Amino acid sequence: MKALLRRAGPDRVDDDVLVFGRLEVDLGARQARLDGRPCDLTGHQFELLTVLARSPGRVLSRSQIMDALKGHPLEAFDRSIDVHISRIRAVIEDDPKSPRRVLTVRGTGYVLARKQDADRD
């Protein structure tokens, strides 16, 4: 039963906290924690992580992410999402060069992995 629930999506400590292995996204406190320690993210980076965390396992394009963040479409050649993703990875990944939490889907966008850390089979 636990395996089925784990595959269904993130664990919820309560309605405001999404848990992905060692990573927690506390929506109410507007804070991400790794191993219980606060992650040093800007407000915009936290919002971007929240967009991904609300749709774990679902690939979101840069345009979809920008729409969710600002409510307007991405301009041509706007790579700001890529920069923010790299900065988020620097904070929440064990090895930012080989990410296991925020993954790139080449030519499409980004996805927050459903299974992370000890959750991997």
Side-chain angles (χ1 to χ4, degrees), residues 2-70:
K2 281 173 104 177
L4 290 172
L5 291 172
R6 187 176 62 234
R7 286 185 207 118
D11 296 328
R12 289 182 182 266
V13 174
D14 60 37
D15 288 338
D16 286 343
V17 181
L18 304 175
V19 179
F20 304 91
R22 296 171 27 225
L23 176 67
E24 296 178 3
V25 180
D26 187 336
L27 305 174
R30 293 189 48 81
Q31 184 178 69
R33 291 183 292 273
L34 186 62
D35 294 328
R37 290 186 300 274
C39 297
D40 189 23
L41 297 174
T42 66
H44 191 69
Q45 290 165 356
F46 179 80
E47 288 296 326
L48 199 160
L49 181 60
T50 299
V51 168
L52 294 172
R54 289 179 189 227
S55 300
R58 182 172 169 228
V59 179
L60 300 175
S61 69
R62 287 178 189 87
S63 184
Q64 288 172 310
I65 293 169
M66 188 65 85
D67 286 347
L69 290 173
K70 294 188 177 183

Side-chain angles (χ1 to χ4, degrees), residues 87-101:
R87 291 181 181 159
I88 291 169
R89 284 178 175 157
V91 174
I92 69 168
E93 296 285 355
D94 297 322
D95 179 5
K97 302 261 187 219
S98 299
R100 295 182 66 185
R101 293 181 180 93

